[in-house]
Amino acid sequence: SIDITFDSHETMDPFSCFGVDSDDDDDSNAPRNGVGLSLAERFNSKRQNPAPSTSTGLVVERSGSGGSEVAFAFRSSYEDQVQRASSLIWRSRPPLYCGPIDLCRTLAEGGNRGYVASQDVPPGTLVLVEEPLVAGWSNAQMGKELGFESVRYLLENQNAREILHCMEELHPRREAVESIFNLETTEIEPIDKVQIVDMMSDMTEDCQIDSLLEYSTRKGITNSDNTNLTARDVKRLLLALRYNGFDSGLYLNFAMFNHSEDPSCTKFRPMEDGAESRRYSEARTVRHVRKGEALTISYLENPREVSHATRRKILWDQHRFDIGDEGQYRKFLDSSFNNNDRGNCIFEAELVADGVFPLSSRDGPIKNHDGDGPLTTNIEKSLDDLEDMLMELKSTPKGNGNSSYFDRTAALELTLWELATVSQSRLENKHHILLSRCRRLHLDAIELFLTECSSTLKDKQLADILLRAMPNIKLLLESQTKRLGSDHPDVARTNQDFANAIQALLSNSPKRLLALELRGMGTLNDWSRMENR
């Protein structure tokens, strides 16, 4: 989030937001689930509006037209955590913390498995905390399509046997794969043919496979039944990595979350920033979830805000399921939202000029008659390049007073602002999903600017940056709220940025703030009320 300092004012401390709780060192001898309970208690104690009770996890919400209070309580002891872990698949590797979730084994998707809520759950609830089975990926794999380099990375791990034995239960399960390949072709279910048989048949790197088999035999790495690995085992391992891996590594229990185009949870990546470094990942609900409702995440970690055509290609390439064309997507949204406003907003966030839903296939966006890619593709390419530049700047040696760093960061901020402005004009849809990504990236660039170049920045320059960003922040907040709902952590973060920027400008440049003449913001009282809200 943006933290703003004018020379004559103290830095405004941002509120604690979802997913950024700092962690004290835990007793290394404490039980694994004890660590998770400590994390959960710390999270609940930091909520902005804690419940009037000393019970861990009790949250009081207002619901219904009458504003009646409904309590959603989730209490968990160490014994309860042990019991919850025993109901999961990997009893020898329980998560650090398991919230109000049940593992359902009779679903139509996700290899028939997935999480559902064990009770009514309010937004912001911590539902899972887990360390990765394998952290990160091999250097040989970076920047390339997932390949057998990643299987070798597993085999070279000092805990290779345990890792492989645990992975036998990941989709596609080893037992299920063996059963499928023993069937006649006509007996194989269509989804198994697409997701398993065809995918494994396309893996033809025989030399690499032979090398991996020779290595596993030499190191004594076997399956859980003590049989030597086969070519089919090696291919299944690669497929399991493809279907279950995250940017930050391979997790067992997180792999049980199914994908949704409207996920009820979000997975936070482990933080690696100095004192706040941590190896575990967390999942929290982003809206109210009813008992028995599926707990889902988005398989697109970074970035999440991509066009429908790009999501369709990524999910087909990596997971072999198709979210469909315009008609199928509209049908999904109607069935999921009963044609309510948020479902309509999600659909409308894909529309471009003249209300057109861009054409796509499983291979991605469809080019026009001239062979040119659609506008959304060009914007996404620009965003990818600018995000790479931002990441490069974040990893560059800093130093206030470094004129080169200042100039590059200033140029990036201005370029992102211009891209957002031009893209909105070309798309003719101020709430397009790609504009949310562009505006968020613009705010990230401002955050970097204010963090690393604060001593070089003059008050007028800071005011110029914030005033330039204000319309974008307001539109970003409107778009996110329409598409994600008011309880989503992305909305919380943007609210925080908006409030901080308003406070700084009210204190130092109130006349220039009024001169923006944003809709509904005609007086300083309007801005003050917006900040308080």
Side-chain angles (χ1 to χ4, degrees), residues 163-450:
I163 291 170
L164 264 60
H165 295 174
C166 288
M167 289 182 66
E168 289 184 8
E169 285 298 322
L170 289 177
H171 177 65
R173 294 182 301 112
R174 180 170 179 262
E175 182 181 354
V177 169
E178 293 299 322
S179 298
I180 289 169
F181 276 92
N182 285 330
L183 295 173
E184 296 293 333
T185 303
T186 55
E187 299 176 317
I188 298 174
E189 294 289 337
I191 190 170
D192 291 334
K193 183 179 185 305
V194 170
Q195 291 191 345
I196 299 174
V197 177
D198 291 350
M199 291 292 286
M200 291 176 63
S201 298
D202 288 341
M203 299 177 187
T204 56
E205 296 87 344
D206 293 338
C207 291
Q208 291 189 61
I209 294 173
D210 290 343
S211 174
L212 293 171
L213 292 175
E214 186 275 329
Y215 181 87
S216 65
T217 301
R218 177 159 45 88
K219 294 293 185 178
I221 303 171
T222 62
N223 295 310
S224 61
D225 58 7
N226 290 323
T227 58
N228 290 329
L229 269 62
T230 65
R232 185 179 296 165
D233 288 322
V234 171
K235 292 181 179 182
R236 191 200 66 82
L237 285 170
L238 178 56
L239 197 56
L241 287 173
R242 183 169 187 164
Y243 287 164
N244 299 281
F246 292 90
D247 284 357
S248 53
L250 180 68
Y251 299 78
L252 295 176
N253 294 286
F254 270 108
M256 294 298 102
F257 278 102
N258 287 321
H259 171 83
S260 173
E261 287 291 282
D262 178 46
S264 56
C265 300
T266 189
K267 175 186 177 294
F268 292 95
R269 305 169 76 183
M271 293 190 297
E272 301 175 355
D273 298 329
E276 296 205 6
S277 179
R278 70 185 187 200
R279 293 190 66 237
Y280 63 83
S281 190
E282 318 170 355
R284 295 192 174 105
T285 52
V286 298
R287 53 180 167 81
H288 285 275
V289 182
R290 296 302 179 189
K291 180 179 179 179
E293 184 181 344
L295 293 168
T296 55
I297 61 175
S298 171
Y299 285 173
L300 279 69
E301 278 196 293
N302 184 34
R304 283 175 294 165
E305 293 102 343
V306 296
S307 67
H308 172 271
T310 299
R311 290 200 308 281
R312 187 178 184 185
K313 175 177 171 54
I314 292 172
L315 292 170
W316 177 256
D317 286 350
Q318 186 167 338
H319 299 281
R320 275 305 187 262
F321 60 78
D322 186 8
I323 60 175
D325 57 15
E326 176 183 358
Q328 293 167 307
Y329 192 60
R330 177 81 264 186
K331 184 177 180 181
F332 157 75
L333 293 175
D334 288 345
S335 63
S336 300
F337 294 94
N338 295 318
N339 201 34
N340 70 10
D341 288 342
R342 198 161 70 81
N344 291 331
C345 289
I346 291 174
F347 181 82
E348 290 167 2
E350 303 289 348
L351 303 181
V352 297
D354 299 323
V356 173
F357 192 99
L359 297 175
S360 69
S361 69
R362 291 171 175 175
D363 296 324
I366 294 178
K367 296 181 179 181
N368 59 30
H369 297 300
D370 297 327
D372 296 327
L375 174 61
T376 52
T377 300
N378 296 333
I379 294 174
E380 284 178 310
K381 287 180 178 178
S382 297
L383 286 169
D384 289 342
D385 291 341
L386 292 170
E387 190 159 12
D388 287 343
M389 291 172 62
L390 179 63
M391 293 301 103
E392 181 183 348
L393 280 170
K394 285 184 175 182
S395 62
T396 300
K398 316 294 191 304
N400 278 304
N402 184 329
S403 60
S404 173
Y405 189 90
F406 181 95
D407 292 343
R408 291 170 63 196
T409 309
L412 178 61
E413 181 273 324
L414 188 58
T415 301
L416 283 163
W417 175 79
E418 290 175 343
L419 178 62
T421 303
V422 173
S423 296
Q424 180 177 325
S425 174
R426 296 284 305 280
L427 289 167
E428 297 182 18
N429 179 0
K430 64 182 179 181
H431 295 304
H432 194 281
I433 189 171
L434 293 184
L435 292 177
S436 289
R437 181 185 172 195
C438 190
R439 290 163 183 152
R440 183 67 258 172
L441 200 57
H442 181 219
L443 293 185
D444 290 343
I446 292 176
E447 178 185 0
L448 179 66
F449 205 0
L450 301 185

Side-chain angles (χ1 to χ4, degrees), residues 470 473-475 477-478 494-503 506 513 518-533:
M470 289 301 282
I473 302 178
K474 191 169 185 292
L475 282 171
L477 189 57
E478 292 175 2
T494 305
N495 266 311
Q496 176 184 318
D497 289 344
F498 202 19
N500 285 351
I502 292 172
Q503 183 181 5
L506 280 174
L513 183 60
L518 296 185
R519 183 170 55 86
M521 297 288 106
T523 68
L524 293 178
N525 282 337
D526 292 333
W527 281 107
S528 183
R529 281 194 294 269
M530 175 68 77
E531 179 206 353
N532 290 332
R533 189 172 73 213

Side-chain angles (χ1 to χ4, degrees), residues 30-40 74 76-103 105 115 126-133 162 166 250-257 267 279-283:
R32 288 168 58 87
N33 295 98
V35 174
L37 286 172
S38 174
L39 294 170
F74 178 68
S76 187
S77 62
Y78 174 74
E79 291 73 18
D80 176 62
Q81 287 293 305
V82 172
Q83 182 178 353
R84 287 179 172 278
S86 69
S87 68
L88 301 177
I89 295 172
W90 296 275
R91 297 181 183 181
S92 63
R93 287 191 62 92
L96 291 173
Y97 175 80
C98 185
I101 62 178
D102 288 331
L103 181 62
R105 303 167 193 259
Y115 292 122
L126 189 64
V127 294
L128 188 66
V129 182
E130 184 181 19
E131 292 178 317
L133 177 67
E162 179 189 4
C166 288
L250 180 68
Y251 299 78
L252 295 176
N253 294 286
F254 270 108
M256 294 298 102
F257 278 102
K267 175 186 177 294
R279 293 190 66 237
Y280 63 83
S281 190
E282 318 170 355

